[in-house]
Amino acid sequence: MKKELKGFLFVILAASLWGLAGTVAKYLFNKAIDPLVLVEIRLSLSALILGLLLAVFKPKLLRISSQDIPYLVTLGIFGVAGVQLAYFITVSQTNVATAVFLQYISPIIVSLYAVFFLKEKMSLLQLLCLLLAVGGSYLMVFSQGIKISPLGLVSGLASAVTVSVYTIYSRRGLQMYNSWTLLFYCFLAGAIALAFIVPPWRIPGENFTTTNLLFFIYIAVFATIIPFGSYFLGLRHLKPTTAGITATLEPVVAAFTAFLFLKERLALPQVLGALMVLGSVILIQLKTQAKLSEATLPVSVVELCREEPKPS
């Protein structure tokens, strides 16, 4: 039970930091920072910091096979970079709560993929937790009328699709490499790809004020490296489905921090939605303790994420 509690704490930490990231990003967008620029800086700083840490403390984790480079580039560009870019564009076009809700349609996409393509059965408890989490996230946005531009809607749906693609397509990489290795090369591939779209030397110098630099470092460390690392540490002690439903705490944190710092409206339906998400997390935790059946994301999609593979 101590290991399970530790796993929950790691995943809750990851979800909380991701939720805060949306509020920080919205603040930067209000300061006229372009979403493309923010994603480029985020991925570049994350790759640089994580690469230096691995080079100093775990150099063996930097070793990869040349045959896997195309796979890592594909996952880095269409998975990691695609997720962040689509999400940040949505945040820039609407409010944080709406952006997070649209991204959290992804569990439905992954579950449908498992049912129709992997021929997996969805249990009643699985369906209940999924409906509570997604329905609660929807209510957190509903009171605001979901005012969103066509671009914001498209990018929001794209963020859900890219999260789903990342979840499914990362299976192969997690079989072969340690999660830190996979993350580093995904960050690197995404940063290099975006550098062709937004060359670093063309980023306006006024973006690099002292305050903005501190926020950039915060996003790289506390919204990217640490939460991704915490999430994978949580997966070492929890089943991936349990970690996935617990991570739906992110929209709760995002909505409340946006309310506190950005003065975004927080009405009664949003509070009710937050309670529904919290209820789904409590239910999944009770299920784990009672050793009941799986809930939410299909096991075969992310089962390989549970244990950290030994570095090759």
Side-chain angles (χ1 to χ4, degrees):
M1 295 305 297
K2 289 183 178 180
K3 289 184 177 180
E4 290 179 354
L5 177 59
K6 185 184 295 185
F8 274 110
L9 292 176
F10 275 127
V11 175
I12 289 172
L13 173 62
S16 300
L17 290 175
W18 279 327
L20 286 168
T23 300
V24 174
K26 185 66 175 182
Y27 171 83
L28 291 172
F29 297 148
N30 290 340
K31 297 294 183 180
I33 301 295
D34 187 272
L36 278 171
V37 171
L38 183 57
V39 176
E40 167 66 13
I41 293 174
R42 179 184 189 179
L43 290 174
S44 298
L45 280 179
S46 298
L48 176 62
I49 295 170
L50 183 55
L52 289 174
L53 289 174
L54 292 179
V56 173
F57 298 104
K58 293 285 186 178
K60 291 183 179 180
L61 295 185
L62 293 174
R63 299 175 183 173
I64 61 172
S65 170
S66 59
Q67 296 179 345
D68 298 323
I69 292 178
Y71 164 78
L72 293 171
V73 170
T74 302
L75 181 61
I77 295 175
F78 297 101
V80 175
V83 167
Q84 299 181 43
L85 181 59
Y87 174 67
F88 279 164
I89 290 176
T90 310
V91 170
S92 70
Q93 293 292 312
T94 182
N95 55 58
V96 176
T98 303
V100 175
F101 164 70
L102 288 171
Q103 190 175 65
Y104 268 84
I105 297 174
S106 60
I108 298 177
I109 297 174
V110 175
S111 296
L112 291 175
Y113 175 86
V115 170
F116 290 103
F117 294 96
L118 301 181
K119 306 302 180 183
E120 295 186 0
K121 295 181 179 180
M122 182 179 292
S123 69
L124 182 61
L125 181 61
Q126 176 184 3
L127 180 61
L128 176 61
C129 289
L130 185 65
L131 291 176
L132 274 175
V134 177
S137 298
Y138 173 79
L139 281 179
M140 290 165 58
V141 182
F142 183 75
S143 63
Q144 299 182 359
I146 315 183
K147 296 179 181 179
I148 185 171
S149 67
L151 174 60
L153 178 60
V154 171
S155 63
L157 295 175
S159 70
V161 172
T162 51
V163 168
S164 304
V165 170
Y166 173 73
T167 300
I168 297 169
Y169 195 56
S170 62
R171 287 193 304 165
R172 174 185 166 189
L174 289 166
Q175 277 184 290
M176 300 182 297
Y177 297 109
N178 183 282
S179 59
W180 293 113
T181 304
L182 193 65
L183 284 175
F184 167 69
Y185 284 104
C186 285
F187 292 155
L188 183 62
I192 293 174
L194 282 174
F196 286 98
I197 302 174
V198 185
W201 56 87
R202 291 187 180 179
I203 298 177
E206 56 267 23
N207 288 334
F208 297 99
T209 64
T210 302
T211 301
N212 286 352
L213 283 173
L214 292 175
F215 277 117
F216 293 154
I217 294 173
Y218 172 88
I219 286 179
V221 177
F222 295 100
T224 309
I225 297 175
I226 292 179
F228 273 105
S230 297
Y231 188 74
F232 280 112
L233 287 173
L235 285 170
R236 296 183 66 180
H237 304 294
L238 295 175
K239 291 183 178 181
T241 51
T242 304
I245 194 67
T246 305
T248 56
L249 283 171
E250 180 183 345
V252 177
V253 176
F256 277 92
T257 54
F259 167 75
L260 292 174
F261 298 107
L262 300 177
K263 306 303 180 181
E264 291 186 0
R265 185 182 176 187
L266 190 61
L268 180 60
Q270 289 178 292
V271 176
L272 177 60
L275 292 176
M276 289 175 63
V277 174
L278 291 173
S280 70
V281 173
I282 293 173
L283 180 61
I284 199 70
Q285 186 173 7
L286 292 176
K287 182 274 308 180
T288 301
Q289 294 175 354
K291 296 183 179 180
L292 297 177
S293 59
E294 287 290 326
T296 307
L297 297 179
V299 175
S300 67
V301 174
V302 287
E303 181 65 33
L304 296 171
C305 301
R306 184 193 298 183
E307 297 294 338
E308 288 291 322
K310 295 182 180 179
S312 56

